[in-house]
Amino acid sequence: MDDIDHYKILGLPSGEEGAKLTEKEISKAYRAKALELHPDKRPDDPDAHANFQILKSSYEILKDEKARKLFDDLLRVKREHQRRHLERDSKRQKMVSDLEARERAGFAPDAAAKDRYEEESIARKLKEEIARIRAMHGNKGAATASVPKRESGGVGKESVGGAKLGLDKEKVLKVSWEKVGEGYTAQRLRDLFSKFGDVEDVVIKDAKKRGSALVVMTTKDAAVAATQIVMGDLSNPLLVLPLQPVAVTDAPPVQKSNEPDRLNNLIGASYQTFEDSVLQKLQKAAQKQK
C-alpha cells in the first residue's frame, strides 16, 4: 500500500495537480472507474475483485480530508527527495557528502536522515488513518440510536459533543432549572445555546429536585452573550450565570449589591460541589492528554 498512488488508481493526475482536485471531481472519477472495473463486467479476470477493492480503498482515502492531506504530504516529500537525488551529479555528490560529514561531526542534523524520518512519519500516520477508515466502515452496521452517556467519579452527568479539555472558565456557563415536567436534555440545551455561538460541550448533573448543567461555549463572546439570560420554557425557565466572569479592564468601580448572593442561592451549594468536581476531572483529563 505504501507505493500505491491513489490518484492514479482513480485515473486522476497526481502530484501538485492532484492535490488541487475537488471532492466532486474525485467522486466523479471513482464512479467512472468503478463502472469499468466492476467484477460483474470482468467475469474472466481472476484479479477483478482484488482490483475493485483497491479502487474502493483508494477512494475512501482520498475522500477523507485528513487521510488525503497526509497522502499529499507523503507525495510531496517523495517528490522533493527524488528531485534532490536527480540534481546531484558525481562532483556535487562528493561536495554534499563532505559537507554532511562536517555537519554530522558538529552535531548538525543530517538532511537525508531528516527526509527519511519525515517520510516514515507521514507514511506511519497515513497507515493509521487507513486503519481508522477501515474500522469506521466495518462498524457501520452497529446502530447508535441514543446519545452516549459519560460517567465519572460518581457524578451523574449527560454530555453531548467532545469539549476541548484545555478548559477556559470564562467560556463556561452555569445553568439551573426546576425539576418539573420534561426538564432539559443535553441536546436541548445545546440547541438553545447555539443561538449565541458554537457549543463545545454540555454536562448535566442528575439531581432529584433541581437540574443543573455546565455549558462550554467556543468563544468568550458567545458566553457573555448568553450570560444572565433567562430562556427555555416559560413554565420552567433556565437561569444562566458565568462560571467565571470575563475580566473587564479600566472599568469604573461598581457598588456591590446583594444580587449575586441571591442568584447563587438559587443554584445552591450542591451545584458548586458538582462544578468543582467536573472541572477537576476535565483538568485531569487534559493533563493526561498532554
Side-chain angles (χ1 to χ4, degrees):
M1 291 292 292
D2 290 348
D3 296 327
I4 292 179
D5 189 329
H6 300 294
Y7 288 105
K8 291 183 178 179
I9 293 294
L10 271 67
L12 294 168
S14 186
E16 296 179 356
E17 187 176 355
K20 296 178 182 178
L21 292 170
T22 64
E23 184 177 345
K24 184 176 180 181
E25 291 172 327
I26 292 174
S27 297
K28 182 178 179 181
Y30 168 72
R31 288 193 294 269
K33 207 70 175 177
L35 291 174
E36 176 186 346
L37 298 180
H38 198 280
D40 292 344
K41 294 192 176 182
R42 295 171 173 262
D44 299 328
D45 185 0
D47 299 326
H49 181 73
N51 292 336
F52 189 74
Q53 291 301 318
I54 292 175
L55 176 67
K56 288 178 63 179
S57 178
S58 294
Y59 175 62
E60 293 295 340
I61 291 170
L62 293 181
K63 77 174 185 177
D64 186 278
E65 183 179 353
K66 187 174 181 181
R68 182 184 177 189
K69 185 179 184 304
L70 287 171
F71 179 66
D72 289 338
D73 289 343
L74 180 63
L75 292 180
R76 174 182 56 77
V77 172
K78 286 184 176 181
R79 288 197 305 272
E80 292 175 355
H81 181 72
Q82 291 172 355
R83 184 170 61 250
R84 278 194 294 269
H85 181 73
L86 293 174
E87 289 174 353
R88 293 175 180 173
D89 56 16
S90 58
K91 183 177 179 180
R92 188 169 184 271
Q93 181 76 43
K94 185 177 183 305
M95 293 173 62
V96 172
S97 298
D98 293 342
L99 177 61
E100 289 178 347
R102 290 195 298 269
E103 289 177 344
R104 284 193 297 270
F107 301 101
D110 185 354
K114 184 179 179 180
D115 288 343
R116 288 194 300 270
Y117 174 81
E118 185 178 3
E119 181 176 341
E120 290 171 359
S121 177
I122 295 175
R124 183 174 63 254
K125 290 180 181 179
L126 178 59
K127 284 183 180 180
E128 293 173 355
E129 283 304 305
I130 292 173
R132 179 183 66 80
I133 293 172
R134 288 177 177 171
M136 178 180 65
H137 286 277
N139 295 330
K140 268 189 175 179
T144 55
S146 62
V147 178
K149 287 188 177 182
R150 300 185 300 179
E151 299 294 331
S152 175
V155 179
K157 60 184 180 180
E158 181 183 3
S159 175
V160 176
K164 299 178 182 177
L165 296 176
L167 197 63
D168 185 345
K169 293 183 180 181
E170 293 183 353
K171 299 179 184 178
V172 183
L173 300 173
K174 299 185 293 187
V175 185
S176 61
W177 64 91
E178 296 294 335
K179 277 278 190 143
V180 294
E182 295 183 0
Y184 294 91
T185 64
Q187 184 58 53
R188 190 173 179 204
L189 290 175
R190 177 179 287 275
D191 294 339
L192 288 171
F193 282 89
S194 63
K195 299 175 183 178
F196 303 97
D198 292 337
V199 178
E200 288 189 2
D201 203 1
V202 179
V203 181
I204 291 184
K205 176 187 176 183
D206 292 330
K208 293 182 178 180
K209 296 183 179 181
R210 188 170 187 82
S212 58
L214 293 179
V215 178
V216 184
M217 305 300 290
T218 303
T219 63
K220 296 179 183 179
D221 290 340
V224 171
T227 299
Q228 296 182 347
I229 299 295
V230 178
M231 64 179 83
D233 297 334
L234 293 177
S235 59
N236 188 11
L238 297 171
L239 177 62
V240 183
L241 293 172
L243 180 61
Q244 176 177 306
V246 177
V248 179
T249 59
D250 299 330
V254 179
Q255 184 177 359
K256 183 176 179 182
S257 67
N258 295 326
E259 185 65 15
D261 294 335
R262 185 180 67 81
L263 294 176
N264 287 333
N265 290 334
L266 290 175
I267 297 174
S270 63
Y271 184 88
Q272 184 65 38
T273 303
F274 159 69
E275 168 196 314
D276 293 340
S277 174
V278 172
L279 287 177
Q280 184 178 8
K281 295 178 190 307
L282 291 175
Q283 290 168 353
K284 285 184 179 179
Q287 290 296 328
K288 290 181 180 180
Q289 288 188 352
K290 293 179 181 178

